[in-house]
Amino acid sequence: MANLPAAPITRQIASRDQARLSDQEPGELRDAARRLLVDGDGQRIPFGGLFREHRAIVVFVRHFLCYTCKEYVEDLAKIPKNLLQDAKVRLIVIGQSSHHHIKPFCSLTGYPHEIYVDPEREIYKILGMKKGEAATTSVQSPHVKSNLLSGSIRSMWRAMTGPTFDFQGDPAQQGGTLILGPGSKVHFVHLDKNRLDHAPISTVLQLAGVKTVNFTNKHQIIDI
């Protein structure tokens, strides 16, 4: 089957808190769009430039040492570039560390798509990303394979054996996923409540009009 039509995209806003961005747009999004991100080479780019001309799936991660973020991004890495190109959709990950951590994180996860950092968490704050962590007992990400103990041990080991001992961002910061653009359009908002509260990638791809990837098989594509 062919890709979903480019427009309209179904708006999926799951709660009053998440709807706040859409309801108050374009004020908050316009403010965020002016803020600068940093790429792996230290070059600065306005956040709004990422979705001015095309739709963009924008994934904000907690921090680069977070084991759940690592495993989520490993699944994002399985999305073939040609599927995004065919749908004219950009896939972007944003972290909150120094830009020096971008290339090691991409090497670790195999992530080949766009990635930037918001070191001062300005965009995180403007878009309402949560701080602290709600209970995780009823939430399970389909993309996280490690349990809390093993995942935390690996994260701590990476922190201790890295060039500098740091958590590559605020450990209390939560992330989220948005589908934005072109321009000031907001199609989807999911603000993570805790480290396991990820938006399922297949759902996000479908809403953005991109063919869905079967994450149990790196190369299997599911027509939608």
Side-chain angles (χ1 to χ4, degrees):
M1 296 176 62
N3 281 4
L4 287 178
I9 304 172
T10 303
R11 176 170 295 189
Q12 298 285 332
I13 306 291
S15 72
R16 180 186 305 173
D17 189 52
Q18 291 173 339
R20 181 174 58 86
L21 174 62
S22 181
D23 291 342
Q24 295 185 12
E25 192 279 326
E28 289 184 352
L29 186 58
R30 186 167 57 239
D31 187 12
R34 292 192 294 260
R35 307 305 169 113
L36 297 177
L37 296 168
V38 187
D39 69 14
D41 295 317
Q43 300 298 311
R44 298 181 180 275
I45 179 174
F47 177 54
L50 303 180
F51 51 88
R52 182 177 298 119
E53 303 295 335
H54 298 285
R55 281 169 292 155
I57 299 169
V58 185
V59 178
F60 291 81
V61 298
R62 295 179 65 240
H63 55 88
F64 288 157
L65 278 180
C66 170
Y67 74 93
T68 65
C69 299
K70 170 185 173 290
E71 295 180 10
Y72 190 77
V73 172
E74 285 174 339
D75 275 356
L76 290 175
K78 298 174 184 177
I79 302 170
K81 287 187 176 182
N82 67 293
L83 295 188
L84 297 167
Q85 292 167 351
D86 290 347
K88 296 182 172 58
V89 173
R90 300 173 74 170
L91 174 59
I92 299 154
V93 166
I94 296 176
Q96 42 132 351
S97 72
S98 162
H99 74 275
H100 297 99
H101 294 299
I102 289 178
K103 292 180 180 179
F105 184 71
C106 289
S107 177
L108 178 70
T109 59
Y111 179 78
H113 308 293
E114 295 180 71
I115 183 167
Y116 305 91
V117 290
D118 174 20
E120 302 302 322
R121 298 186 296 282
E122 291 183 320
I123 300 170
Y124 282 79
K125 295 171 186 174
I126 293 169
L127 298 184
M129 304 291 169
K130 299 180 182 299
K131 293 288 293 289
E133 191 155 20
T136 60
T137 53
S138 62
V139 178
Q140 181 61 52
S141 170
H143 304 286
V144 176
K145 298 84 180 172
S146 301
N147 61 40
L148 177 61
L149 177 60
S150 64
S152 299
I153 289 173
R154 292 191 191 99
S155 294
M156 183 60 69
W157 179 251
R158 286 170 53 209
M160 294 174 63
T161 57
T164 59
F165 185 85
D166 70 79
F167 284 93
Q168 302 182 23
D170 181 353
Q173 179 68 59
Q174 301 300 322
T177 300
L178 300 89
I179 301 175
L180 303 172
S184 61
K185 295 179 181 177
V186 180
H187 305 284
F188 173 87
V189 179
H190 175 88
L191 304 182
D192 300 344
K193 297 181 179 67
N194 55 58
R195 72 189 68 190
L196 295 175
D197 187 30
H198 299 132
I201 296 171
S202 294
T203 300
V204 174
L205 291 176
Q206 184 175 8
L207 291 170
V210 182
K211 286 186 178 180
T212 302
V213 176
N214 182 347
F215 293 100
T216 63
N217 184 325
K218 183 174 181 179
H219 301 293
Q220 184 174 348
I221 309 302
I222 303 174
D223 283 340
I224 56 176

XYZ file of all heavy atoms in Angstrom, residues 42 69 205 216:
25
model
N 29.335 21.659 16.894
C 29.287 22.919 17.628
C 28.605 24.044 16.883
O 28.597 25.181 17.362
N 16.580 5.886 27.132
C 16.755 6.742 25.954
C 17.654 6.063 24.930
O 17.380 6.100 23.721
C 17.345 8.087 26.363
S 16.314 9.024 27.505
N 5.284 7.160 13.606
C 5.534 7.086 12.172
C 4.229 7.104 11.385
O 4.101 7.797 10.370
C 6.325 5.820 11.841
C 7.774 5.754 12.316
C 8.371 4.394 11.992
C 8.611 6.860 11.697
N 11.076 -5.754 15.670
C 11.638 -7.066 15.979
C 12.510 -7.574 14.841
O 13.203 -8.563 14.965
C 10.523 -8.086 16.242
O 9.735 -8.243 15.055
C 9.636 -7.631 17.386
